[in-house]
Amino acid sequence: MVDTWLDEKTSNKIVMSSRIRLARNIEGLPFPHMLQSNEALESLADSVSETFSDYKTLDMRAFNILDKALMVEEFLISPRFLKQGVRLILSEDKHASIMIGEEDHIRIQVVDTSKTLEELYKTASDIDDALEKNVEYAFDTNYGFKTACPTNVGTGLRASVMLHLPALSKNRRIKRVMDALTRMGYTLRGIYGEGSVPLGEMYQLSNQVTLGVDEHTILENLEDIKNQIVAEEEKTRQWFYHNRALTVRDSVFRSYGLLTYAQKMSLEEAAEHLSNIKYGVDMEMLEVENFQFQKWMCVIQHAFIRKRIEDQNLEYTSLEEAENRERAILIKELLGGNE
Amino acid sequence: MVDTWLDEKTSNKIVMSSRIRLARNIEGLPFPHMLQSNEALESLADSVSETFSDYKTLDMRAFNILDKALMVEEFLISPRFLKQGVRLILSEDKHASIMIGEEDHIRIQVVDTSKTLEELYKTASDIDDALEKNVEYAFDTNYGFKTACPTNVGTGLRASVMLHLPALSKNRRIKRVMDALTRMGYTLRGIYGEGSVPLGEMYQLSNQVTLGVDEHTILENLEDIKNQIVAEEEKTRQWFYHNRALTVRDSVFRSYGLLTYAQKMSLEEAAEHLSNIKYGVDMEMLEVENFQFQKWMCVIQHAFIRKRIEDQNLEYTSLEEAENRERAILIKELLGGNE
């Protein structure tokens, strides 16, 4: 159903996936937001496609808005790329991609559910090296890579990990964790990045500082922070397990009951219940056949549901109501058609 | 499980049951709250028991508080009778009872899920006549029967019907209906009578005026009012059915899901969901095997659940939590052991 790197069975707990992103720009070419036309970016894309001949090149103009929204929900492109992206050059397994015409000329992204940040950085770095053979990057010997937004100047590296933090969310410590991280130069935010609201107790942890530290230090520090958050989440899960067993069990099973029987459901509510079930599965309170948290979290999103409504030519008076109804139907299908 | 007149399968819609109550007092004997000892009431009870030799006589002192609370929940005695009742003289089918030492010396009660108020009044009247052969009632030729509380003076008759009003409750018109009824000399209140909070969208409609109108007029008027409320409820159900079908269906199935999967549940919440299911069953949205709304509403009450906890010698730190857990378990049993 989902045509993305998530389309694989994983049973990760807490750390759901990791991602490396490198921001690069071409020397002498104005940043994308300053360009009058896409010509220069298209010819850049052509050259990149040539370098990565085993990758697939997708012309973003060939997609309608719904298809592009789907790609955002699949984590293939960024919300910003949906609006202004020119070309997406995508590895066959969809784990590596090069966005041409995001905020910067080039954005290299490598993502995986099980590999470490260092492993992903190695892949991104290889892509970076291959690109550099054919293009001249905008680079300053004092500062490093030049980027459209000053927050990326230097390494142009953003490393992030997707964390599922139900226990920290439920006891409200997540807010304190978030504040502490901000003071330390990290962010913990929604899974669709900047400006996105946390859904299903999933958070994206990433570095904010890209300047004045080398890449490996960035990765090491983020790894450290991640391990601390994971330990905190695990400790809190144990506390709940020993002190609030019935309450947690109740909440998990209620979510299962609602997902099984509700006739309409908003995205926010569905995400909340799926998160509860994931928590319950992780804590071995219940078993759900073929449960794929991240994939399901993906397919309940707005564009996915709208695509289903479109594909079935469903009639409706209120799109929101139709979406909520269709989401409930989909969830029942995923859960194995219990009624 | 329930040892009451409710222990029969009924599939009533809206009008769940009807009840007639007659308040009587003995000439020359002070009202119960003025009595120094129970002696006079006990000898009255002896005489009543003799008259109704096929009835069962229960000495209220023989029951502990939990057993008496159970009898209240089964609608066999009133909350006031729990505190100060002397003897309960009960017909074999439990539809007719004589409480000795409630607010008045004698309270005759006849209750049924399918009979009309007139039919029930006929039975109560026969009991009344039989009693009058052996005792002299306190009676004033101007006012009628004398009672401990002036609100019962005259006929001493209180007629009531138990109504299930989910649609009127959901669209909040119930409050307006209640206010209008009060102005007309009727009350619509919780199922356990005076001071009780409505549970599970069930209401007890009864006359307040007992003086200056004859019995048949009281019954006719109440019948009229009842029919108007029933018509209003039916109209509102139809409105929801035609205008909010998905919302109603969603709420009904969510309740089913929660009752099936929750691991603990308060009385108020359980009553709310059972009411939703009853509504869904009435509207033919879902089928529930052996669903007995009134009986189930009874067995989820506090004393019933506490009895279960006591019978199983369950250990607990918080009685409330133990009750909520046990209630969830019972409901799953009732629903047929889905898990």
Side-chain angles (χ1 to χ4, degrees), chain B residues 104-124:
Chain B
D104 299 292
H105 299 140
I106 296 174
R107 286 274 176 108
I108 301 165
Q109 178 176 285
V110 189
V111 64
D112 197 87
T113 53
S114 54
K115 292 206 176 97
T116 65
L117 287 171
E118 275 290 352
E119 287 170 315
L120 298 178
Y121 178 69
K122 173 77 177 63
T123 307

Side-chain angles (χ1 to χ4, degrees), chain B residues 239-258:
Chain B
W239 186 88
F240 274 117
Y241 185 78
H242 290 291
N243 298 284
R244 296 287 181 276
L246 183 61
T247 300
V248 172
R249 217 183 133 75
D250 181 54
S251 148
V252 165
F253 277 88
R254 277 171 181 259
S255 284
Y256 189 82
L258 287 170

Side-chain angles (χ1 to χ4, degrees), chain B residues 130-145:
Chain B
L131 283 172
E132 216 175 357
K133 281 179 190 150
N134 297 308
V135 296
E136 192 192 340
Y137 282 155
F139 189 82
D140 180 287
T141 43
N142 274 324
Y143 295 115
F145 294 101

Side-chain angles (χ1 to χ4, degrees), chain A residues 5-220:
Chain A
W5 55 273
L6 270 178
D7 203 10
E8 42 192 61
K9 288 190 190 176
T10 52
S11 56
N12 295 10
K13 290 182 194 177
I14 306 179
V15 181
M16 306 309 290
S17 64
S18 304
R19 189 173 70 101
I20 289 291
R21 190 221 66 195
L22 296 173
R24 298 290 184 258
N25 288 281
I26 306 305
E27 182 61 38
L29 185 64
F31 291 127
H33 66 279
M34 302 293 284
L35 287 173
Q36 300 299 319
S37 87
N38 282 336
E39 240 174 282
L41 291 172
E42 279 160 15
S43 87
L44 169 64
D46 286 343
S47 135
V48 173
S49 294
E50 247 172 72
T51 311
F52 294 89
S53 55
D54 52 336
Y55 280 39
K56 210 167 144 187
T57 298
L58 304 173
D59 186 341
M60 292 311 287
R61 285 167 308 186
F63 299 102
N64 63 28
I65 183 79
L66 186 58
D67 286 332
K68 285 194 271 196
L70 278 173
M71 293 167 85
V72 172
E73 292 178 357
E74 290 173 315
F75 303 102
L76 289 180
I77 64 171
S78 64
R80 186 184 190 116
F81 198 69
L82 175 152
K83 286 188 204 140
Q84 62 174 65
V86 175
R87 297 232 187 115
L88 177 69
I89 297 151
L90 187 66
S91 74
E92 207 168 347
D93 65 8
K94 300 187 173 70
H95 287 265
S97 60
I98 304 159
M99 285 182 260
I100 306 291
E102 219 259 13
E103 189 178 273
D104 298 292
H105 298 141
I106 295 173
R107 286 273 175 109
I108 301 165
Q109 177 177 285
V110 190
V111 66
D112 197 86
T113 52
S114 54
K115 292 204 176 102
T116 64
L117 286 172
E118 275 290 352
E119 288 170 314
L120 296 179
Y121 178 68
K122 172 78 176 63
T123 307
S125 210
D126 289 347
I127 293 170
D128 193 32
D129 293 346
L131 283 172
E132 216 177 356
K133 281 180 189 149
N134 297 309
V135 297
E136 192 191 342
Y137 282 154
F139 189 82
D140 180 287
T141 43
N142 273 323
Y143 294 113
F145 294 101
K146 296 179 189 168
T147 56
C149 176
T151 57
N152 293 312
V153 167
T155 57
L157 166 64
R158 179 135 303 146
S160 61
V161 281
M162 209 84 96
L163 301 171
H164 181 231
L165 305 173
L168 286 173
S169 302
K170 284 177 213 306
N171 82 350
R172 318 244 172 121
R173 288 185 64 175
I174 196 77
K175 187 77 190 64
R176 275 189 1 225
V177 173
M178 279 174 150
D179 293 344
L181 287 172
T182 305
R183 285 193 300 274
M184 293 160 69
Y186 298 87
T187 60
L188 194 61
R189 57 192 178 188
I191 51 174
Y192 292 107
E194 219 171 317
S196 74
V197 172
L199 260 185
E201 296 164 326
M202 289 265 280
Y203 300 84
Q204 188 195 75
L205 167 72
S206 62
N207 65 307
Q208 283 302 89
V209 179
T210 55
L211 186 68
V213 245
D214 73 280
E215 287 83 351
H216 298 287
T217 310
I218 290 174
L219 300 182
E220 258 172 51

Side-chain angles (χ1 to χ4, degrees), chain B residues 35-256:
Chain B
L35 287 173
Q36 299 299 318
S37 87
N38 281 335
E39 242 173 276
L41 290 172
E42 278 160 14
S43 88
L44 169 64
D46 287 343
S47 136
V48 173
S49 294
E50 250 173 67
T51 311
F52 295 89
S53 56
D54 52 336
Y55 280 40
K56 208 168 147 188
T57 297
L58 305 171
D59 186 342
M60 293 310 288
R61 283 167 309 186
F63 298 104
N64 63 29
I65 182 78
L66 186 58
D67 286 331
K68 286 195 271 197
L70 278 173
M71 292 166 85
V72 172
E73 292 178 357
E74 290 172 316
F75 303 102
L76 289 180
I77 64 171
S78 63
R80 187 185 189 115
F81 197 70
L82 174 151
K83 285 187 202 138
Q84 62 174 67
V86 175
R87 297 232 188 118
L88 176 69
I89 297 152
L90 188 65
S91 73
E92 208 169 344
D93 65 7
K94 300 188 173 73
H95 287 264
S97 60
I98 304 159
M99 286 183 259
I100 305 291
E102 218 259 12
E103 189 179 271
D104 299 292
H105 299 140
I106 296 174
R107 286 274 176 108
I108 301 165
Q109 178 176 285
V110 189
V111 64
D112 197 87
T113 53
S114 54
K115 292 206 176 97
T116 65
L117 287 171
E118 275 290 352
E119 287 170 315
L120 298 178
Y121 178 69
K122 173 77 177 63
T123 307
S125 210
D126 289 347
I127 294 170
D128 193 33
D129 292 346
L131 283 172
E132 216 175 357
K133 281 179 190 150
N134 297 308
V135 296
E136 192 192 340
Y137 282 155
F139 189 82
D140 180 287
T141 43
N142 274 324
Y143 295 115
F145 294 101
K146 296 181 190 167
T147 55
C149 176
T151 57
N152 293 312
V153 167
T155 57
L157 166 64
R158 179 134 305 145
S160 60
V161 281
M162 208 85 97
L163 301 171
H164 181 230
L165 305 173
L168 286 173
S169 303
K170 284 178 213 304
N171 82 351
R172 318 240 171 125
R173 288 186 65 173
I174 197 76
K175 188 78 190 60
R176 273 187 4 221
V177 173
M178 280 174 148
D179 293 345
L181 287 171
T182 305
R183 286 193 300 272
M184 293 159 70
Y186 297 87
T187 59
L188 193 62
R189 56 191 178 188
I191 51 174
Y192 292 108
E194 219 171 315
S196 74
V197 172
L199 260 184
E201 296 163 327
M202 289 265 281
Y203 300 84
Q204 188 194 77
L205 167 73
S206 62
N207 66 307
Q208 284 302 91
V209 178
T210 56
L211 186 67
V213 245
D214 72 280
E215 287 84 350
H216 298 286
T217 310
I218 290 174
L219 301 182
E220 258 171 50
N221 289 350
L222 195 73
E223 194 76 31
D224 266 5
I225 297 278
K226 178 195 85 180
N227 290 338
Q228 284 176 43
I229 299 176
V230 168
E232 196 70 18
E233 169 70 19
E234 271 169 350
K235 211 176 72 184
T236 313
R237 288 186 184 196
Q238 286 307 312
W239 186 88
F240 274 117
Y241 185 78
H242 290 291
N243 298 284
R244 296 287 181 276
L246 183 61
T247 300
V248 172
R249 217 183 133 75
D250 181 54
S251 148
V252 165
F253 277 88
R254 277 171 181 259
S255 284
Y256 189 82

Side-chain angles (χ1 to χ4, degrees), chain A residues 246-247 249-250 253-254 256-258 261-265 269 321 325 339, chain B residues 246-247 249-250 253-254 256-258 261-265 269 321 325 339:
Chain A
L246 184 61
T247 300
R249 217 183 133 75
D250 182 53
F253 277 89
R254 278 172 181 259
Y256 189 81
L258 287 171
Y261 285 102
Q263 305 291 306
K264 58 177 178 179
M265 197 172 274
E269 192 194 346
E321 177 125 324
R325 187 189 57 211
E339 166 78 358
Chain B
L246 183 61
T247 300
R249 217 183 133 75
D250 181 54
F253 277 88
R254 277 171 181 259
Y256 189 82
L258 287 170
Y261 285 102
Q263 305 291 306
K264 59 177 176 178
M265 197 173 274
E269 192 194 346
E321 177 126 326
R325 188 189 55 211
E339 165 79 359

